[in-house]
Amino acid sequence: MIEVMRNELSKWYQKHKRTLPWRSEPQPYFVWLSEIILQQTRVEQGLSYFNKFAEAYPNIEGLAKADLDEVLKLWQGLGYYSRARNLHFAANQVMNEFEGKFPSTYDDILKLKGVGSYTAAAISSIAYNQPHAVVDGNVIRVITRLFGISESVNQSATLKKIQALADELLNELNPSEHNQAMMEFGALQCVPKNPNCEVCPLAIVCLARANGTVSGIPLKDKKIKRRARYFHYIIAINNGKVIISQRGTNDIWGGLFEFPLIENDSVDFLTPSQLESSFPISIKSLLKVHSEKKHVLSHQDIHANFYHLEIDNVNDEKLNLVALSDLHTFALPRLIDRYLENHDLISGENRH
Ligand code: SF4
């Protein structure tokens, strides 16, 4: 049965695989770049980012030498910004610890920051054709359905079982193609909702299909509770400049720039004196306040208010003032970027 699965999968892949830039020439650097970008991101969205990065940094040396803020700016809009910071860090690791040559063994690849067992398996197999079976979300779905595994995939025992089956299924003659075929099959054929089993070449060996349990597999434990957060952004303008600050790295949007932020537990607008008591500013006029619609992240809902203020001269050196015309050069969270697309920075008036 395993042999049938491998062969059918390979035939299906040859016929249906998408043409993707990191596939035509699977250099380790580009495979790694694509794998980091595609963690938590769909191919359709990640592709333009891959192209931007490959063009700006055609080799690992260029990426290592780049300014981190520039890398974050290029990453803007993709989310999970620790991936961009790790990418930059790992490029420097390759330059310093591997003499500029991308590591070629699973164990060495695993030493790179931001690379876990899945990514190390993907790079070592796709770029170097080494026999490591990948198990990502797509592969989990394919395996659990093919083998009719109805236990929760949040349990580590279930994941171990899935990894063992993926190892068994791996075509050691061509691990590179096999792993890509498994992931592509999950992305295009054995999709999460209503897969078209009628046209599936693996239907004859699929236990979930035979048992009528496709829609319930893979089983996931109840969703984790979402967290609501309330952000109040102060757009404080003085003499053609605006105050910005850089976020720390241990929260969402780490390393990105934003306006001075007050976070509390209420969506209610703050009063001018509350704003003044939180930052060393003195308000000349309050031009506009806006409530944005909820910004949804994977586990958090951000409710944001924006306050457009004209302020007196700022004497505090800790506050970072930048020219309004330069603001677009900073990497901003999507929430702020989209807000600025829709509102005039100074008056707060809606552009549409
Ligand atoms: S028969 Fe359906 S559930 Fe089974 S592998 Fe094919 S698409 Fe997935």
Side-chain angles (χ1 to χ4, degrees):
M1 192 162 92
I2 291 283
E3 204 53 41
V4 175
M5 288 180 183
R6 274 186 204 142
N7 290 341
E8 290 301 327
L9 194 64
S10 171
K11 277 193 264 169
W12 176 91
Y13 184 63
Q14 288 311 325
K15 202 165 159 197
H16 297 279
K17 68 177 172 191
R18 289 169 287 188
T19 306
L20 297 169
W22 54 89
R23 276 192 184 146
S24 49
E25 218 187 312
Q27 293 177 35
Y29 168 60
F30 288 134
V31 172
W32 167 65
L33 187 59
S34 69
E35 286 299 331
I36 302 295
I37 287 174
L38 295 180
Q39 287 168 2
Q40 324 277 351
T41 302
R42 294 164 62 84
V43 168
E44 299 76 35
Q45 191 199 4
L47 187 56
S48 65
Y49 282 86
F50 175 86
N51 289 333
K52 275 198 285 184
F53 269 82
E55 197 188 327
Y57 314 119
N59 52 48
I60 199 147
E61 192 180 357
L63 176 59
K65 281 187 180 156
D67 197 61
L68 176 59
D69 286 341
E70 184 187 300
V71 174
L72 286 168
K73 178 68 189 162
L74 217 54
W75 196 270
Q76 182 173 302
L78 203 50
Y80 296 97
Y81 291 88
S82 59
R83 291 183 294 168
R85 291 195 305 276
N86 290 343
L87 200 67
H88 185 254
F89 188 95
N92 282 285
Q93 269 182 294
V94 172
M95 296 312 295
N96 301 329
E97 295 167 28
F98 297 95
E99 297 171 347
K101 232 179 141 292
F102 203 92
S104 59
T105 65
Y106 176 90
D107 289 339
D108 278 347
I109 295 169
L110 204 52
K111 288 178 188 155
L112 299 178
K113 200 161 182 202
V115 170
S117 53
Y118 157 74
T119 309
I123 299 169
S124 60
S125 65
I126 296 172
Y128 297 108
N129 212 20
Q130 292 170 3
H132 294 281
V134 296
V135 174
D136 70 348
N138 283 323
V139 176
I140 288 175
R141 188 166 57 255
V142 173
I143 298 241
T144 48
R145 285 177 175 168
L146 281 177
F147 294 94
I149 297 171
S150 51
E151 294 100 350
S152 163
V153 295
N154 300 95
Q155 306 294 329
S156 58
T158 317
L159 286 174
K160 265 194 191 150
K161 198 168 168 179
I162 295 168
Q163 181 71 56
L165 286 165
D167 291 343
E168 197 184 335
L169 195 54
L170 182 70
N171 179 354
E172 298 213 352
L173 295 176
N174 195 349
S176 175
E177 186 204 82
H178 174 88
N179 277 337
Q180 293 183 78
M182 286 289 285
M183 293 189 278
E184 195 78 333
F185 188 78
L188 302 180
Q189 168 59 39
C190 194
V191 293
K193 282 197 181 132
N194 305 320
N196 188 355
C197 301
E198 298 301 317
V199 300
C200 178
L202 296 182
I204 42 163
V205 288
C206 177
L207 279 179
R209 162 117 162 121
N211 295 337
T213 52
V214 173
S215 62
I217 293 181
L219 181 76
K220 290 182 186 153
D221 286 340
K222 291 262 174 303
K223 285 207 174 101
I224 30 172
K225 227 174 137 226
R226 300 187 64 74
R227 177 181 174 202
R229 298 179 72 175
Y230 302 91
F231 286 7
H232 301 264
Y233 278 122
I234 302 173
I235 303 181
I237 292 181
N238 174 260
N239 218 1
K241 292 185 170 175
V242 63
I243 303 174
I244 61 168
S245 59
Q246 191 165 24
R247 288 185 68 84
T249 53
N250 53 0
D251 195 358
I252 54 167
W253 308 330
L256 267 64
F257 289 84
E258 62 183 359
F259 300 116
L261 168 68
I262 299 169
E263 181 173 359
N264 65 10
D265 55 7
S266 168
V267 75
D268 295 343
F269 286 122
L270 299 171
T271 63
S273 57
Q274 283 174 312
L275 300 176
E276 282 181 326
S277 66
S278 302
F279 287 98
I281 53 171
S282 140
I283 299 174
K284 249 192 203 167
S285 58
L286 177 58
L287 304 168
K288 196 93 180 171
V289 291
H290 272 295
S291 235
E292 267 296 270
K293 69 174 190 313
K294 187 169 76 180
H295 184 76
V296 178
L297 300 174
S298 57
H299 301 132
Q300 303 187 17
D301 294 328
I302 311 293
H303 304 263
N305 289 337
F306 287 86
Y307 304 76
H308 293 257
L309 313 174
E310 194 184 348
I311 56 168
D312 286 327
N313 282 342
V314 176
N315 295 318
D316 195 311
E317 284 175 2
K318 280 188 255 105
L319 295 180
N320 183 17
L321 276 156
V322 301
L324 298 180
S325 53
D326 288 343
L327 189 57
H328 70 279
T329 64
F330 291 86
L332 306 169
R334 181 74 190 118
L335 166 69
I336 293 182
D337 196 42
R338 198 180 49 210
Y339 181 81
L340 295 179
E341 277 169 17
N342 295 325
H343 298 86
D344 183 81
L345 180 61
I346 300 173
S347 67
E349 292 302 332
N350 204 313
R351 292 186 204 276
H352 306 293

